[in-house]
């Protein structure tokens, strides 16, 4: 038995059955409900959702002279009743920015999404980011400002980061990057290009979770059609920006082969959302050329997960590692939806006070894609 097998042999996934009350939600499926009664065998973690519809903003729509798109993170602002949404434009089309959105949704359905304004993100010198110096991918409201993450650029050896910005986009502070995450020229350690900081979640305690889309170089391979990938999640003290722990999230194998000859495919964790201080939702978003996207929402529980902060390499580790437990909550294709590139997820409040879950897609500023929003009413959520 090799060291690598020892390191991964303990990664066991527990799944649960998703009960569906309607099999074809289509255009008339508003109100179809989906329940995961006992994730991980824990019925207190049960979650139930009801579909409220889809709304699409076509690629090319302009807002105040700037092309709208690239939505890669989303969060609800209870103070305004609106949502903040970050674009992953690397300051190519316009300076890096986040948007304020008004989501018109209530218990009867999702009626529309409108753009209120955009705010330019500023670097440490108070200037807009120069082209290709940043890759915004995630955004959350924290206790002292807006928390957002940049994926970095492994090819250019730009490290990923998490920063706090004021509502006007100005720099406040930066979280500490743990060792082993910065990119390296020889690809021996650190982030893979375009597979780095995709996810931010803020727990009620104020702790901040930051996840990478797929394994760091030293932790093993990318997902394949037969094997998964070991993504790291950093747990920060939100008040200080200091790392507290790291966990493993086991990304599933790629669920769909490309149907296009010699086509590529992938899978990765594209977003996280904290339900409480130890349970989170995660989006696993895959793509296969000639087929499109598969999007699955998973629930994870970090309660008994091993703190791997001191483990430099999961691929060269002898000790037993317990990953985050995970259980599938929703498979968007399985319930009749055709998802685009879902990278954004938020809890929020509808116009009538209904608790909702909103998903959003990154259109990559491509005419072949769209900015797509899905809404679900939350009928039941995990209990402490």
């Amino acid at each position: 038995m090799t060291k690598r097998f020892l390191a991964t042999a303990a990664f066991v996934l527990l799944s649960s059955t998703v009960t569906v009350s309607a099999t074809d939600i289509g255009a008339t499926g508003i109100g179809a409900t989906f329940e995961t009664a006992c994730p991980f065998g824990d019925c207190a973690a049960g979650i139930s959702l009801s579909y409220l519809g889809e709304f699409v903003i076509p690629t090319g729509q302009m807002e105040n002279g700037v092309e709208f798109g690239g939505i890669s993170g989303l969060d609800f602002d209870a103070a305004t009743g609106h949502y903040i949404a970050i674009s992953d434009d690397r300051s190519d089309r316009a300076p890096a920015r986040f948007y304020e959105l008004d989501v018109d949704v209530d218990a009867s359905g999702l009626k529309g999404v409108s753009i209120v304004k955009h705010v330019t993100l500023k670097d440490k010198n108070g200037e807009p980011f120069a082209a290709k110096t940043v890759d915004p991918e995630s955004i959350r409201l924290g206790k002292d400002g807006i928390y957002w993450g940049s994926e970095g650029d492994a090819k250019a050896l730009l490290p990923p980061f998490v920063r706090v910005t004021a509502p006007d986009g100005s720099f406040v502070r930066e979280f500490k990057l743990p060792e082993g995450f910065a990119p390296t020229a020889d690809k021996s350690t650190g982030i893979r290009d375009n597979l780095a900081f995709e996810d931010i979640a803020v727990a009620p305690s104020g702790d901040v979770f930051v996840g990478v889309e797929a394994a760091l170089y030293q932790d093993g391979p990318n997902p394949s059609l037969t094997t998964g990938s070991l993504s790291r999640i950093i747990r920060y003290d939100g008040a200080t920006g200091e790392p507290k722990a790291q966990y493993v999230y086991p990304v599933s194998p790629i669920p769909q082969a490309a149907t296009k000859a010699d086509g590529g495919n992938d899978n990765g964790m594209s977003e996280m959302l904290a339900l409480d201080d130890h349970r989170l939702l995660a989006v696993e978003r895959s793509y296969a050329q000639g087929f499109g996207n598969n999007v699955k929402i998973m629930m994870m529980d970090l309660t008994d997960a091993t703190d791997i902060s001191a483990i430099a390499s999961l691929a060269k580790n002898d000790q037993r590692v317990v990953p985050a437990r995970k259980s599938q909550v929703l498979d968007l294709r399985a319930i009749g939806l055709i998802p685009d590139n879902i990278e954004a997820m938020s809890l929020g409040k509808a116009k009538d006070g209904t608790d909702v879950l909103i998903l959003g897609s990154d259109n990559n500023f491509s005419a072949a894609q769209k900015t797509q929003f899905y809404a679900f009413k939350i009928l039941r959520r995990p209990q402490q």
Side-chain angles (χ1 to χ4, degrees):
M1 184 180 290
T2 66
K3 288 183 178 181
R4 180 172 171 184
F5 184 79
L6 279 167
T8 58
F11 287 75
V12 179
L13 307 185
L14 299 179
S15 61
S16 61
T17 301
V18 179
T19 302
V20 183
S21 69
T23 57
D24 180 11
I25 60 180
T28 59
I30 304 301
T33 59
F34 313 96
E35 180 176 19
T36 306
C38 301
F40 336 110
D42 178 8
C43 296
I47 187 168
S48 181
L49 304 170
S50 175
Y51 182 64
L52 292 174
E54 174 187 8
F55 186 82
V56 170
I57 298 177
T59 295
Q61 179 161 326
M62 305 297 288
E63 182 274 330
N64 198 25
V66 173
E67 183 178 356
F68 178 79
I71 299 306
S72 297
L74 185 74
D75 206 22
F76 180 66
D77 185 350
T80 64
H82 291 164
Y83 291 76
I84 54 173
I86 201 162
S87 172
D88 70 356
D89 182 358
R90 300 188 184 195
S91 288
D92 290 327
R93 289 166 175 80
R97 59 203 175 275
F98 67 90
Y99 290 90
E100 183 178 331
L101 303 179
D102 183 21
V103 179
D104 186 3
V105 62
D106 59 27
S108 66
L110 174 59
K111 301 174 179 65
V113 178
S114 57
I115 306 161
V116 178
K117 65 177 182 179
H118 75 259
V119 177
T120 299
L121 292 161
K122 306 291 178 49
D123 63 19
K124 291 180 178 180
N125 299 317
E127 299 295 329
F129 284 89
K132 294 181 172 53
T133 60
V134 68
D135 183 6
E137 292 286 351
S138 49
I139 192 166
R140 294 288 173 204
L141 282 167
K143 293 184 177 180
D144 63 330
I146 296 168
Y147 298 176
W148 66 282
S150 170
E151 195 167 29
D153 187 333
K155 290 183 291 188
L157 300 183
L158 287 176
F161 64 70
V162 175
R163 291 182 180 176
V164 181
T165 187
D168 65 357
S170 58
F171 173 81
V172 175
R173 61 189 175 97
E174 183 169 336
F175 286 25
K176 181 180 179 180
L177 185 68
E179 290 186 13
F181 284 81
T184 53
D186 63 1
K187 300 182 180 180
S188 59
T189 61
I191 59 169
R192 286 179 160 92
D193 191 53
N194 207 34
L195 291 172
F197 283 5
E198 282 281 339
D199 326 300
I200 288 183
V202 179
S205 65
D207 281 359
V208 177
F209 301 96
V210 178
V212 294
E213 188 171 350
L216 301 174
Y217 276 114
Q218 67 268 31
D219 288 335
N222 282 338
S224 71
L225 289 167
T226 56
T227 60
S229 188
L230 306 181
S231 291
R232 289 193 185 229
I233 295 173
I234 308 166
R235 185 173 195 150
Y236 283 99
D237 182 317
T240 65
E242 291 290 322
K244 295 174 63 174
Q246 291 181 36
Y247 312 105
V248 171
Y249 176 84
V251 175
S252 301
I254 300 169
Q256 172 71 44
T259 59
K260 183 178 179 180
D262 300 321
N265 50 26
D266 60 20
N267 192 34
M269 180 170 59
S270 66
E271 186 58 291
M272 296 188 305
L273 175 66
L275 298 171
D276 52 38
D277 288 331
H278 61 97
R279 299 188 191 106
L280 299 92
L281 295 181
V283 174
E284 289 197 23
R285 179 275 332 273
S286 69
Y287 176 76
Q289 281 187 293
F291 175 81
N293 294 102
N294 266 298
V295 174
K296 298 179 181 181
I297 300 177
M298 305 288 186
M299 186 185 295
M300 75 172 93
D301 190 339
L302 300 173
T303 301
D304 298 316
T306 303
D307 179 1
I308 59 167
S309 300
I311 299 176
S313 168
L314 293 171
K316 299 178 180 179
N317 169 55
D318 280 334
Q319 72 186 73
R320 181 174 182 268
V321 171
V322 178
R325 296 188 299 167
K326 77 173 188 180
S327 181
Q328 183 175 301
V329 171
L330 207 58
D331 179 335
L332 296 190
R333 279 198 176 257
I335 64 171
L337 298 176
I338 303 176
D340 207 292
N341 181 34
I342 300 294
E343 292 193 1
M345 177 169 58
S346 176
L347 297 172
K349 290 284 185 181
K351 301 293 185 181
D352 59 1
T354 300
D355 290 324
V356 292
L357 178 72
I358 307 292
L359 306 178
S361 72
D362 172 6
N363 68 348
N364 292 307
F365 296 96
S366 166
Q369 294 181 258
K370 57 195 175 185
T371 301
Q372 175 188 60
F373 295 92
Y374 290 124
F376 294 85
K377 180 179 179 180
I378 301 171
L379 303 175
R380 178 189 175 198
R381 60 180 294 169
Q383 304 298 310
Q384 291 286 8

